[in-house]
Amino acid sequence: MASSSTYNEFHMFMLIGIMVSSMVASCAGSFYQDFDLTWGDNRAKIFSGGQLLSLSLDKVSGSGFKSKKEYLFGRIDMQLKLVAGNSAGTVTAYYLSSQGPTHDEIDFEFLGNTSGDPYILHTNIFTLGKGNREQQFYLWFDPTRNFHTYSIIWKPQHIIFLVDNIPIRVFKNVESIGVPFPKNQPMRIYSSLWNADDWATRGGLVKTDWSKAPFTAYYRNFKATQFSTKSTSSANSDADWQINELDAYGRRRLRWVQKYFMIYNYCNDLKRFPQGVPVECSH
């Protein structure tokens, strides 16, 4: 029979383990386990034992999927390999969203292009149903040749978009000056591949070449790390995620991307905002 001191030590160890695990819950399961194929009939497929997912688009329909779970704060990672060749007119969307007319949303959208021309990575953030916070980038690699990791870090203090763990955009919580921030509505992960040739490529000038269909994008290595919004004094190290900003290296990488690869920033669009750019642009 175990002594009472041994039992108490074991009980304390279990309590600490439960407290720590409640702070950070990391999930890297299979697509069968984590997602539902929501539209497109058999154009959306899960294979390789649940480790690979594909979405396809033809002239009849696109396709899409969504996560079984909702998330409120955390980090979402997904590896994508985008439609190769002439992808003009197509959009591959990968985003977090709640539902309803006052929904919140955090967007990656990949705008296809003609063969040899670069994809455009379009980002946006909606709060209470209002977006209009677009930033667009070229990528420093061909996103159709290999898988690359696209990540969203969503904290009460800020949202960070990352590509291969390099930050490309930071949206800070500046509710103190009256700018709404998505922090109350849990969101699901969505992705879709669809035809948007009325606007996606050169403002709709280049149309989808259906002779190249079906167009297919691939997904793998999904991982969700969800954080609790509560912390205790005994688990402060696990609550660092709540306050951590980018370190010096991360800030340098962010400046590098925004200097050399950003092609549109709503904060610089004075024609669009003749009365002055949105107030968050100064923070």
Side-chain angles (χ1 to χ4, degrees):
M1 182 175 177
S3 67
S4 60
S5 61
T6 302
Y7 174 82
N8 289 337
E9 289 173 2
F10 175 77
H11 187 62
M12 182 59 68
F13 174 81
M14 290 299 293
L15 281 175
I16 293 172
I18 291 169
M19 289 170 62
V20 170
S21 64
S22 69
M23 293 298 300
V24 179
S26 182
C27 168
S30 77
F31 283 108
Y32 288 120
Q33 176 183 337
D34 297 321
F35 292 92
D36 291 320
L37 305 180
T38 49
W39 64 284
D41 297 324
N42 62 353
R43 294 172 185 83
K45 298 176 181 178
I46 298 173
F47 47 102
S48 295
Q51 298 307 302
L52 198 62
L53 185 151
S54 67
L55 295 180
S56 290
L57 163 69
D58 58 32
K59 200 166 186 177
V60 175
S61 177
S63 51
F65 64 86
K66 70 176 181 179
S67 64
K68 296 179 185 291
K69 293 182 180 179
E70 293 183 322
Y71 301 89
L72 182 65
F73 304 127
R75 175 172 178 144
I76 304 297
D77 299 285
M78 184 84 80
Q79 290 192 328
L80 280 75
K81 184 163 69 169
L82 300 178
V83 174
N86 184 358
S87 59
T90 71
V91 173
T92 306
Y94 156 57
Y95 58 102
L96 288 165
S97 183
S98 57
Q99 295 296 304
T102 57
H103 75 290
D104 295 338
E105 189 172 320
I106 305 170
D107 286 349
F108 277 111
E109 289 187 318
F110 303 90
L111 312 185
N113 216 328
T114 52
S115 297
D117 290 333
Y119 263 83
I120 291 175
L121 172 52
H122 175 98
T123 65
N124 202 355
I125 295 164
F126 288 74
T127 307
L128 301 177
K130 183 178 182 297
N132 300 323
R133 299 187 179 109
E134 301 91 345
Q135 289 184 0
Q136 295 182 337
F137 306 84
Y138 287 142
L139 295 166
W140 48 96
F141 53 82
D142 180 350
T144 72
R145 290 179 61 86
N146 297 295
F147 284 92
H148 292 270
T149 304
Y150 303 91
S151 308
I152 294 166
I153 297 176
W154 176 27
K155 303 181 181 182
Q157 288 74 23
H158 54 249
I159 295 163
I160 304 175
F161 295 78
L162 304 100
V163 176
D164 288 338
N165 214 35
I166 296 173
I168 65 168
R169 177 177 186 178
V170 177
F171 182 77
K172 294 183 178 181
N173 182 339
V174 285
E175 289 178 301
S176 59
I177 59 170
V179 179
F181 185 85
K183 66 174 189 179
N184 297 315
Q185 300 184 50
M187 298 194 247
R188 294 186 192 274
I189 303 161
Y190 294 85
S191 190
S192 58
L193 174 56
W194 49 291
N195 177 45
D197 67 2
D198 56 334
W199 66 271
T201 306
R202 295 182 59 199
L205 293 177
V206 183
K207 301 300 183 182
T208 303
D209 182 356
W210 293 111
S211 70
K212 302 294 193 295
F215 304 98
T216 304
Y218 297 90
Y219 302 74
R220 73 179 187 189
N221 291 348
F222 163 71
K223 184 178 180 182
T225 305
Q226 190 168 11
F227 301 106
S228 166
T229 57
K230 299 178 182 179
S231 64
T232 63
S233 58
S234 61
N236 279 340
S237 61
D238 295 288
D240 285 347
W241 71 274
Q242 295 190 35
I243 57 174
N244 283 350
E245 300 283 346
L246 291 176
D247 59 14
Y249 177 75
R251 292 193 297 271
R252 287 197 301 272
R253 299 301 276 172
L254 177 67
R255 288 193 296 269
W256 173 74
V257 171
Q258 296 194 340
K259 180 177 180 179
Y260 293 107
F261 299 99
M262 178 185 283
I263 59 172
Y264 177 80
N265 182 0
Y266 76 108
C267 285
N268 298 331
D269 194 340
L270 298 179
K271 289 184 179 179
R272 183 179 175 187
F273 302 106
Q275 305 303 316
V277 297
V279 294
E280 69 265 20
C281 293
S282 61
H283 287 71

